Amino acid sequence: NDDAQADSPPDPPRLLASASADGTARIWSTADTPSEDGGECLAVLEGHRERLSVVDWHPSGRYVATSSHDMTWRLWDVHAQQELLLQDGHTHETYGIAFHPDGSLIATTDFGGLCAVWDLRSGKMLLPLRGHVGRALAAQWAPDGYRLATAGDDHSCRVWDIRKKDCAYVLPAHSSLISDVRWSPPTGEALLTCGFDGDLKVWSTRDWTELISLRAHEGKVLAADWAPGGFSIVTAGYDRTIKLWRPEAGL
């Protein structure tokens, strides 16, 4: 029906957030008509005093959070292009940052090994999680909302049970720094880790057995994530390549 299509609302804009060593976060359009710079910059979020570490989107798509070497994390309203919350509390450079699936909590990590869970509404730290030795660099919530995975310098991935306020399992996952950790969508039945040893690994979250281990890049693996649906994995390496893997095809 042409009339129905004409009356339907337009699709929401597809946006990308980036964090930079210049202390700013930027919001970019991913429209089909990019500029010469690869996309239109819609907003520059300024306020941090040191380089940024990580940026993460709130589940609503309206807000982003940033972590920084200035030992703070901040919450921003993307549409209003303004800072909503400036939160200190870390005593070392803040690095990992991840929103809870329902958007009510946020987890952060720092270079002192501290992982922290915060109430997003009040900005109060609800739960300090200590156990990592050295820098804690990555964090992500499981889809079930009560497990949090963190990883870092000590070559291990820790899975925290927020209900018990304790570490539920430690994966001695890599022979070097772990740079990223991600639960598989939509159920979190698998957990991937990648590290500076060049390896990508996938673990069963039922019994924590290793399902897949492969040499992903020549040198450091900087980041990895599941594609929507959990059928593919994307990795980025220090070798200046981005690779797409398909676990269901045996990689």
Side-chain angles (χ1 to χ4, degrees):
N1 187 314
D2 293 338
D3 292 337
Q5 292 180 356
D7 294 336
S8 61
D11 292 334
R14 292 170 293 175
L15 304 177
L16 174 72
S18 63
S20 173
D22 66 5
T24 68
R26 293 175 185 258
I27 307 300
W28 305 84
S29 167
T30 60
D32 295 331
T33 55
S35 69
E36 293 180 358
D37 295 328
E40 180 185 0
C41 181
L42 303 178
V44 179
L45 307 178
E46 299 179 284
H48 283 290
R49 299 186 304 276
E50 300 287 345
R51 63 181 299 159
L52 268 61
S53 306
V54 177
V55 61
D56 192 37
W57 283 94
H58 188 271
S60 69
R62 182 178 177 87
Y63 312 104
V64 296
T66 54
S67 59
S68 170
H69 284 216
D70 65 10
M71 295 183 267
T72 71
W73 63 269
R74 303 183 188 219
L75 179 69
W76 308 83
D77 185 315
V78 171
H79 300 294
Q81 301 183 21
Q82 68 181 42
E83 179 186 296
L84 300 178
L85 178 65
L86 162 60
Q87 188 60 54
D88 53 20
H90 285 278
T91 58
H92 295 79
E93 294 91 331
T94 308
Y95 203 86
I97 194 162
F99 281 108
H100 188 274
D102 70 8
S104 64
L105 304 174
I106 194 166
T108 57
T109 70
D110 72 24
F111 279 11
L114 174 66
C115 307
V117 177
W118 307 78
D119 185 323
L120 195 62
R121 291 160 293 190
S122 67
K124 293 182 179 179
M125 185 187 296
L126 300 178
L127 185 61
L129 303 170
R130 294 182 172 87
H132 282 291
V133 177
R135 297 174 296 177
L137 300 172
Q140 195 191 35
W141 292 93
D144 58 32
Y146 70 85
R147 291 178 296 174
L148 174 70
T150 60
D153 256 348
D154 56 8
H155 310 177
S156 72
C157 173
R158 289 179 173 262
V159 179
W160 307 87
D161 188 323
I162 302 304
R163 301 170 303 179
K164 298 178 180 179
K165 302 180 180 180
D166 199 4
C167 182
Y169 203 85
V170 180
L171 286 169
H174 290 263
S175 60
S176 187
L177 175 156
I178 299 178
S179 55
D180 215 345
V181 57
R182 299 283 172 171
W183 301 83
S184 64
T187 60
E189 293 184 356
L191 181 73
L192 72 78
T193 59
C194 63
F196 279 16
D197 55 7
D199 291 342
L200 167 70
K201 298 188 179 186
V202 179
W203 310 82
S204 167
T205 58
R206 296 182 180 181
D207 57 9
W208 301 112
T209 55
E210 184 181 290
L211 301 177
I212 296 169
S213 179
L214 60 92
R215 187 73 173 176
H217 290 270
E218 293 301 322
K220 305 170 185 176
V221 185
L222 302 178
D225 202 358
W226 299 88
F231 299 114
S232 302
I233 296 172
V234 179
T235 60
Y238 197 69
D239 58 7
R240 301 183 183 181
T241 66
I242 296 174
K243 297 183 180 182
L244 177 67
W245 309 89
R246 298 189 183 277
E248 79 282 2
L251 293 167

